[in-house]
Amino acid sequence: MTTLGMLAILSASLVMAEDFKTINGKEYNDATIKRVEPDGIVVKTKSGISKVYFAELPKEVHDRLLPTSTTPGVAQRELVELKSWVTTIKNPTSFVLLFIGAASLIVAAISALVRNRLRR
């Protein structure tokens, strides 16, 4: 029950609209933070959806949204690699090219082994 309450509070804090200004001077009024990513935040405003990198945010906004280090850890990097792998496999063209590349490597390895055996 406590965990559920904490999740509700965290979700509500991400949905609340905010006004903030980047260090470059760009203003975001009534911005709803959709998600926090390792390198920045995704916000929704009246003009659309944007990604704002932590390097562009003032320190107080950055610390409020991500109080820990912004450098991605090993688990985060592995998750990004896994997502890119899954995306590649879901795309039929990429999957076929990956399959052809793997098959080419296998054929090249077998050819090298056969050539090596025939030379003896």
Side-chain angles (χ1 to χ4, degrees):
M1 217 38 159
T2 305
T3 306
L4 186 60
M6 291 174 73
L7 285 174
I9 291 170
L10 287 173
S11 298
S13 67
L14 289 177
V15 174
M16 292 172 43
E18 296 190 35
D19 297 336
F20 63 90
K21 188 183 217 181
T22 65
I23 59 174
N24 299 331
K26 182 165 177 152
E27 292 187 31
Y28 290 88
N29 297 321
D30 293 326
T32 304
I33 300 172
K34 290 301 198 180
R35 67 181 174 269
V36 178
E37 296 180 345
D39 58 344
I41 58 173
V42 176
V43 296
K44 181 179 180 184
T45 61
K46 291 178 185 176
S47 61
I49 297 175
S50 305
K51 180 164 184 174
V52 182
Y53 293 95
F54 285 122
E56 300 172 355
L57 293 173
K59 184 166 175 33
E60 63 273 359
V61 176
H62 177 274
D63 290 344
R64 184 167 39 88
L65 296 174
L66 191 69
T68 59
S69 173
T70 59
T71 55
V74 174
Q76 289 172 330
R77 281 193 300 268
E78 288 176 356
L79 181 61
V80 168
E81 289 173 9
L82 178 64
K83 284 182 179 179
S84 64
W85 176 253
V86 169
T87 304
T88 301
I89 289 176
K90 283 184 180 179
N91 183 346
T93 306
S94 296
F95 182 73
V96 168
L97 291 174
L98 180 67
F99 182 76
I100 291 171
S104 299
L105 286 174
I106 291 170
V107 169
I110 291 172
S111 298
L113 287 172
V114 169
R115 249 186 272 142
N116 190 19
R117 298 263 179 181
L118 291 176
R119 286 185 184 170
R120 289 184 185 180

